[in-house]
Amino acid sequence: KQWYQRRVRGPVLGMITCCPTNLGTGMRGSVHIIIPKLIKKIGFEGIDKVARSMNCQARGSTGEHSEVIDRVDISNWRRLGYPEYNLVEDMIKCVNVISQMEDEIED
């Protein structure tokens, strides 16, 4: 057998021909949230740090690796091995915390 046949072919699933994060649940949900004051105060890196502490991640205004203007994309960071409702709960809790942080900043 070729090396790739030994490593990616299984007796039950057959050939794996997609990104492993798309196997199983693999769910990624996201919410775009407008938070210009928070972006100005702590920056994208600070927002991403908060999100990652809550099992989520922040992405740019139009998706991964894009510029951050006035909004960020918050999505669940965990993908495999968790029920969908846990992944959605992670995202909802994170968006609520980040929204509250935005609301607490004085104009």
Side-chain angles (χ1 to χ4, degrees), residues 40-56:
K40 185 176 181 179
K41 183 174 181 178
I42 67 172
F44 175 77
E45 291 78 16
I47 295 165
D48 190 47
K49 186 175 180 181
V50 171
R52 288 187 184 267
S53 75
M54 302 183 74
N55 297 314
C56 289

Side-chain angles (χ1 to χ4, degrees), residues 89-103:
E89 281 177 348
D90 288 346
M91 190 176 54
I92 291 170
K93 288 176 185 177
C94 182
V95 168
N96 285 338
V97 166
I98 290 175
S99 292
Q100 184 175 355
M101 291 171 69
E102 170 78 6
D103 291 343

Side-chain angles (χ1 to χ4, degrees), residues 35-90:
I35 49 173
K37 296 183 289 186
L38 192 59
I39 292 168
K40 185 176 181 179
K41 183 174 181 178
I42 67 172
F44 175 77
E45 291 78 16
I47 295 165
D48 190 47
K49 186 175 180 181
V50 171
R52 288 187 184 267
S53 75
M54 302 183 74
N55 297 314
C56 289
Q57 68 185 99
R59 297 176 182 222
S61 295
T62 58
E64 191 171 17
H65 307 299
S66 67
E67 183 180 4
V68 176
I69 302 167
D70 62 346
R71 69 195 71 212
V72 295
D73 175 340
I74 302 293
S75 62
N76 55 296
W77 187 35
R78 302 183 298 178
R79 301 284 199 281
L80 295 174
Y82 300 93
E84 289 88 348
Y85 69 87
N86 285 144
L87 304 179
V88 172
E89 281 177 348
D90 288 346

